[in-house]
Amino acid sequence: MTEVALQAVELVRRIEGAVSHTLVNGIDLAVNKGEFVAITGPSGSGKSSLLYLLGLLDAPSEGEVIICGQPTSKLSESDRADVRLTKCGFVFQFHFLLPEFTSLDNVLLPMRAAGRMAESEMRERGLALLGSLGLAEHANKRPNALSGGQRQRVAIARALANRPEIIVADEPTGALDTASTEQVFSILRDIADQGQTVVVVTHDPALAARADRRIHIVDGKIAEITERDAGKLVCAAEG
Amino acid sequence: MKLLFNIAWTHVSSRVRQTLVGMAGVAMGVGFTIMMAGLMQGSQLDFLRQLVDTMPHITIEDERRSVPTQPADQEYGAVQMSDIANVGKRPGIKYPESVMSSLRSWIPGDVAPSAKTTAIINHGGARIGITLSGIDTRREVQVSKLASQMREGKLDDLSRAPNGIIMGEALAEKLGVKTGNTVLLIGGQGIQLNSTVAGLFRSGLKRVDESQIYSLMGPAQVMMGQSGVVNQLRLRLNDPMLAQKVAAQVEAQTGYKSVSWQEANADLLSSFTVRDFIVLTVMGAMLLTSSFATYNIISTITHEKRQDIAIMKSLGMREYAVRRIFIIEAAIIGLVGILFGWILGYLLCYGWSKITIFNPLTGTTVPLQIYYSLMHYVVVGGISLVCCAGAAYFPARKATCVHPVDIIRGAS
């Protein structure tokens, strides 16, 4: 039986104001452990909003996000922060590394915040992660001494630092050249193949096609789910 | 905590100029506040020391705080009496030796008798009103610093010169009198006495140096027209600060009005309270102003680091932990600033203590009195640190309240 890593139940995100605006409108979604899911859609469709809800960066107006079987809607902000720290890894369109810190220090940041390992263990893991992403010789460089692709790989290493169950990536290749894009996507694919769950928002249909499942969002709702089954794409329009 | 400190240290160390300005602001505030505290307390204590050294700590006078109740008053409540004179009453303290020996048995200090009266000193056409105190030189050294305040002659010279007197330097200067000269003292009842100036003293208090004369008990009693009278007992305590308490006990025991040096100078001491309040307000304002430099730098850092704050929160760092980073930054700036402020404060105090000023009223040149106290450093440092933490807390709280998604979206 397939284990569900991430589940959204009747998820709604509404911005209240003089004119209220619904970003995510009643989405039901279940992502299995080790699955690579790509969320696509036009600009303003609500795909990033959905990702932020799934990664607990934002709180839903209605509905529930269940991470590794744990409902999160009733968690306090501190508890949500704990879940983010231990169960989710984030990769953003811009690397968002701390500029005064070296690559290694940036990777160590989540581990130090969690405080579960000894400093030597953390450094060992940080260097191993950087090495696995081809950045061993850049460990002591600051972000401004790295290329765009290298920075994004450091950001991926940081996302992986605490061995999270789920990696959420918001347009991780949006600011990269073709070669770096390919490299980053291959890494994310490998991560999923190794058993971690990856949810990626992307505009690139070619890259989305390499995901296990592609969820197309329009106006905050799932418009289409495309599954890759034994090398053959199966399309199923919702409703 | 190490992580938070690392981030905080990275922030402040990567902004050397801003950090140094912040530290300099704190250092200046702390340094000048310490200097002001040292100067203020130094001058105040110096003045009080002079006051306490010059005056008896407690003076027992042959007076009562209130008019004694008359038998008619006690008998008939409706009777009102005023302007009553006890014509038969002899002035002075009754059985002074017995009172003194009783006091000596329990007061933490010593007691000496004196005969105090007012007179006019006449010399070379100048007539100046003075206070004449007859003293017992043997006991006087136990209750006053007069012996050490002598500029010419000695206390014992009073008994060697005929009707010898000791006067303040300022009074001698006014009269153009030198040691060995003879002056004429005129008492309230017209009694005249030729006296020889046996010595000069300087207390440092102008009003004393210009109007006080000492003689032996005999000449003073002659001027009062009351031989053998003692109308004042003067007490000196081991701890001058106990004077008020002891004075109350002495008054309760003897029935005579006992005035502590604090009571005698109540108006002056209350003016010190006002002065303290003003100076403390100014010092508080200085520390507060210096903390604005910290507020400024932390505000700038939090503004610049909004994106980092969002990232740290999105990675799972708790809001209070992120806020603590900026408090630590303020603490780093504050602590280093305070350390330099302490050094600056000490150097300023030392520098000021080397400066001498001419006092035109007393005609003397004296160094500025500085009071060095560890408490100044601790209190000023503590207040400054609290101001720095407060200055950092508000911008940090504002910055860490921001929702990470808002900043991440903005950056995208």
Side-chain angles (χ1 to χ4, degrees):
Chain A
M1 188 179 164
T2 317
E3 194 180 336
V4 175
L6 180 61
Q7 193 177 357
V9 181
E10 290 291 320
L11 209 54
V12 175
R13 178 68 172 106
R14 201 177 293 115
I15 304 284
E16 301 294 349
V19 180
S20 76
H21 181 58
T22 305
L23 301 172
V24 175
N25 195 358
I27 284 183
D28 283 300
L29 175 70
V31 183
N32 295 327
K33 191 175 177 188
E35 193 179 8
F36 187 163
V37 173
I39 300 172
T40 59
S43 293
S45 59
K47 54 189 187 302
S48 289
S49 299
L50 174 61
L51 193 78
Y52 296 146
L53 290 172
L54 294 176
L56 301 190
L57 277 178
D58 199 5
S61 308
E62 290 170 28
E64 180 74 86
V65 174
I66 301 167
I67 292 181
C68 302
Q70 181 186 9
T72 59
S73 63
K74 290 191 170 62
L75 293 181
S76 66
E77 189 48 50
S78 294
D79 291 337
R80 290 165 64 84
D82 278 348
V83 174
R84 282 202 300 273
L85 184 63
T86 54
K87 293 189 174 153
C88 301
F90 293 89
V91 182
F92 299 99
Q93 181 176 1
F94 301 101
H95 55 85
F96 286 148
L97 299 173
L98 301 188
E100 294 96 349
F101 281 52
T102 63
S103 303
L104 180 60
D105 283 333
N106 269 289
V107 176
L108 292 177
L109 188 69
M111 289 189 266
R112 283 175 170 159
R116 289 175 178 172
M117 285 185 269
E119 181 68 20
S120 58
E121 264 183 280
M122 285 192 259
R123 291 186 77 81
E124 198 178 319
R125 175 159 173 75
L127 287 168
L129 280 168
L130 287 171
S132 69
L133 296 174
L135 293 164
E137 69 274 26
H138 301 294
N140 293 317
K141 287 182 184 167
R142 288 187 179 188
N144 60 6
L146 304 174
S147 70
Q150 287 168 335
R151 288 175 199 172
Q152 201 60 304
R153 279 185 279 153
V154 174
I156 293 171
R158 181 179 66 184
L160 293 169
N162 279 336
R163 295 187 178 88
E165 308 269 353
I166 302 152
I167 300 290
V168 287
D170 187 10
E171 306 258 16
T173 57
L176 301 181
D177 57 36
T178 315
S180 298
T181 298
E182 176 56 36
Q183 204 172 20
V184 166
F185 236 84
S186 296
I187 292 166
L188 292 173
R189 179 71 255 177
D190 288 346
I191 291 167
D193 290 344
Q194 284 161 25
Q196 280 170 293
T197 307
V198 179
V199 183
V200 178
V201 163
T202 183
H203 269 118
D204 189 335
L207 293 172
R210 292 166 63 181
D212 297 327
R213 199 156 37 128
R214 190 174 74 184
I215 296 164
H216 192 68
I217 306 281
V218 177
D219 293 337
K221 291 180 176 175
I222 297 175
E224 188 181 18
I225 300 176
T226 307
E227 291 196 29
R228 197 175 70 165
D229 186 19
K232 187 183 169 190
L233 289 174
V234 178
C235 297
E238 191 167 80
Chain B
M1 199 63 183
K2 192 182 170 192
L3 170 68
L4 305 184
F5 183 82
N6 278 345
I7 297 172
W9 177 251
T10 309
H11 283 174
V12 295
S13 59
S14 61
R15 280 166 190 73
V16 176
R17 193 173 54 83
Q18 278 177 302
T19 303
L20 286 178
V21 169
M23 287 171 177
V26 175
M28 297 283 263
V30 169
F32 278 94
T33 306
I34 287 172
M35 182 204 76
M36 275 190 71
L39 257 178
M40 184 195 76
Q41 207 170 349
S43 65
Q44 199 160 304
L45 286 177
D46 182 55
F47 184 80
L48 284 178
R49 196 179 59 240
Q50 283 187 24
L51 198 68
V52 170
D53 282 354
T54 306
M55 292 184 69
H57 295 163
I58 298 170
T59 307
I60 305 170
E61 291 168 348
D62 60 339
E63 291 175 22
R64 309 276 170 175
R65 290 257 176 205
S66 53
V67 180
T69 317
Q70 295 299 312
D73 266 340
Q74 293 165 4
E75 208 60 38
Y76 308 103
V79 173
Q80 270 200 338
M81 280 176 283
S82 63
D83 202 21
I84 295 167
N86 187 349
V87 292
K89 182 181 177 283
R90 190 177 186 273
I93 291 167
K94 282 183 184 174
Y95 313 115
E97 283 300 332
S98 138
V99 173
M100 282 192 292
S101 67
S102 164
L103 290 177
R104 275 194 200 101
S105 66
W106 66 269
I107 60 162
D110 212 334
V111 57
S114 72
K116 183 183 171 188
T117 184
T118 54
I120 290 170
I121 189 164
N122 189 347
H123 181 75
R127 292 164 71 91
I128 297 172
I130 50 100
T131 301
L132 174 64
S133 293
I135 56 173
D136 177 341
T137 52
R138 194 170 44 83
R139 285 177 173 166
E140 187 65 19
V141 291
Q142 306 297 325
V143 299
S144 84
K145 295 264 176 96
L146 184 58
S148 63
Q149 289 168 350
M150 294 299 292
R151 291 291 175 268
E152 285 181 31
K154 287 182 285 189
L155 275 188
D156 291 343
D157 293 342
L158 280 176
S159 52
R160 294 193 188 103
N163 297 326
I165 57 168
I166 291 169
M167 66 169 68
E169 265 187 343
L171 179 60
E173 203 170 310
K174 261 187 182 178
L175 294 166
V177 170
K178 287 197 163 61
T179 305
N181 290 167
T182 303
V183 294
L184 180 64
L185 296 178
I186 306 166
Q189 295 169 6
I191 300 166
Q192 297 192 354
L193 198 68
N194 279 313
S195 301
T196 305
V197 179
L200 303 177
F201 72 90
R202 186 168 72 198
S203 70
L205 291 180
K206 189 176 165 67
R207 66 184 162 93
V208 174
D209 292 347
E210 282 190 344
S211 64
Q212 180 69 52
I213 285 181
Y214 294 98
S215 70
L216 292 177
M217 294 290 277
Q221 287 163 342
V222 168
M223 293 299 291
M224 291 167 74
Q226 298 280 344
S227 61
V229 74
V230 170
N231 63 357
Q232 206 178 53
L233 297 179
R234 298 188 299 153
L235 275 69
R236 188 165 193 85
L237 305 178
N238 301 332
D239 179 3
M241 303 315 289
L242 292 175
Q244 272 182 309
K245 189 181 160 196
V246 175
Q249 289 171 329
V250 169
E251 189 162 322
Q253 180 189 322
T254 63
Y256 291 113
K257 184 179 174 185
S258 302
V259 180
S260 65
W261 66 268
Q262 291 102 323
E263 186 185 342
N265 296 283
D267 51 346
L268 199 64
L269 295 177
S270 78
S271 75
F272 279 165
T273 310
V274 174
R275 194 177 87 137
D276 287 351
F277 180 75
I278 293 168
V279 175
L280 286 174
T281 307
V282 171
M283 290 196 302
M286 280 171 70
L287 289 176
L288 204 60
T289 309
S290 73
S291 71
F292 278 109
T294 312
Y295 177 85
N296 221 14
I297 184 170
I298 299 298
S299 283
T300 309
I301 292 176
T302 51
H303 186 72
E304 285 176 5
K305 292 290 164 193
R306 275 165 60 90
Q307 192 169 291
D308 289 4
I309 291 167
I311 295 308
M312 286 187 278
K313 284 182 74 175
S314 71
L315 291 178
M317 283 178 72
R318 292 183 179 194
E319 198 169 298
Y320 72 83
V322 179
R323 195 181 304 146
R324 212 175 277 173
I325 291 170
F326 299 101
I327 305 289
I328 293 170
E329 288 174 21
I332 293 170
I333 293 168
L335 284 172
V336 177
I338 287 165
L339 193 67
F340 281 105
W342 283 346
I343 296 168
L344 179 68
Y346 180 81
L347 291 176
L348 283 169
C349 285
Y350 182 77
W352 277 98
S353 71
K354 296 293 163 198
I355 295 173
T356 54
I357 51 166
F358 177 72
N359 185 342
L361 295 174
T362 60
T364 53
T365 302
V366 287
L368 283 174
Q369 296 295 321
I370 302 286
Y371 182 70
Y372 293 93
S373 166
L374 186 64
M375 195 53 79
H376 291 167
Y377 291 76
V378 173
V379 170
V380 172
I383 292 173
S384 187
L385 198 59
V386 170
C387 285
C388 284
Y393 178 77
F394 296 103
R397 190 180 67 168
K398 189 181 170 196
T400 52
C401 280
V402 173
H403 204 285
V405 169
D406 296 337
I407 294 170
I408 291 164
R409 277 187 190 282
S412 305

